[in-house]
Amino acid sequence: MNKFSRELPAGSRSVDEITGGRRLRRMRKTDWSRRLVRENRLTVDDLIWPLFLIDGENRREPIGAMPGVFRLSVDVAVREAERAVKLGIPAIATFPNVDMALRDETGSAILDPDNLINRATRAIKDAVPEIGIITDAALDPFTSHGHDGILREGIIVNDESVAQVTAAAVLQAAAGADIVAPSDMMDGRIGAIRDALDANGFQDVAIMAYATKFSSAFYGPYREAIGTKGVLKGDKNTYYLDPANADEAVREAEQDLAEGADMLMVKPGLPYLDIVRRLKDEFAVPTFAYQVSGEYSMIKAAGQNGWLDGERAMMESLLSLKRAGCDGILTYFAAEVAERLKA
Ligand code: PBG
């Protein structure tokens, strides 16, 4: 045997006999044919850009664990919203880092019509009316203990927390939010918010349910961003989903839809692709994923270290979420991706 020849051992069938003549590489041969058979695409229309807010003016504060992401004062957030519109990004989602002096046991500052979220919504709506604004209806940025609910004797009390978040959602709608997104996983919150929005004349304000929010380690950098790191005592296992459970996630989504959710969200994203696919197949409603802070940080850090190609990993992770069934994705990469898609 010539040392350059590679032949199947005597007695083997030929490749054509093995495959029955089917050659799946045929369509992968050229760039044009790969493009022609491509099943999924990521476009700018898929992107929702989460923005972190802080008090003050002209502030752009770096977040250690999230290179390239900043806490923005409202005036700077307005400029970023303008940039988002120019890039074609359909919507932003705001998350406040609330002054520690304003945080208390029950998160009462969430009920201030002029709190940081509501001020930002008004300013952005006023300056950039063409962008969609999604607000986080959750207590954790406002509580002194970092939990998403009211804490009484070591227990996150469900119904009181729902009442507080519902009142906050109405204030957020009044400030101009297009979509309110309760992220606390309390039972009954979607129905309560829907009733209250309708009763207050906000029939057109939609609800994106953080339907399946898992108790995840991947939220770490976010807690630095909004200043709940070190503040949060214990874990969120009594209200967020167990990462081991998929059937329970389907029940949560079913319940939120029955209560009036317009859109479902799965959070985090990449570790939960199976959940995205199950929800999309089961309910066929607008389905979103939140590529969370830890997912962003992992890709950024590895990219910055030269351990992988950060840009490609960014695109591939988002495309994978599309393939799993997402209609859109909340991602800290939104502006970067939009720039890249434009180029
Ligand atoms: C809590 C909330 C979390 C995130 C957004 N809102 C999770 C948490 O801190 O427990 C995480 C977002 C991210 O990690 O990017 N209501």
Side-chain angles (χ1 to χ4, degrees), residues 54-83:
I54 34 164
D55 278 321
E57 251 176 74
N58 200 23
R59 285 175 78 187
R60 206 180 157 80
E61 233 176 57
I63 298 157
M66 300 181 76
V69 178
F70 301 84
R71 300 182 195 93
L72 313 170
S73 54
V74 170
D75 54 327
V76 179
V78 167
R79 293 205 294 276
E80 291 292 66
E82 283 163 355
R83 185 174 153 224

Side-chain angles (χ1 to χ4, degrees), residues 138 140 148 183 213 219 222-223 236 240 267 292-293 332:
D140 58 299
D148 298 31
S183 67
K213 182 170 188 181
Y219 306 145
Y222 171 89
R223 294 183 186 165
K236 301 191 175 183
Y240 291 178
K267 179 181 180 182
V292 299
S293 56
Y332 301 99

Side-chain angles (χ1 to χ4, degrees), residues 50 52 66 95 136-141 146-148 182-184 210 213-214 216 218-223 226 228 232 236 239-240 267-268 290-296 332:
F52 293 114
M66 300 181 76
F95 297 91
D136 183 28
L139 288 172
D140 58 299
H147 278 291
D148 298 31
S183 67
D184 59 14
Y210 282 73
K213 182 170 188 181
F214 290 86
S216 172
F218 291 98
Y219 306 145
Y222 171 89
R223 294 183 186 165
I226 67 153
T228 55
L232 180 67
K236 301 191 175 183
Y239 45 106
Y240 291 178
K267 179 181 180 182
Y290 197 145
Q291 181 181 56
V292 299
S293 56
E295 298 177 71
Y296 173 88
Y332 301 99

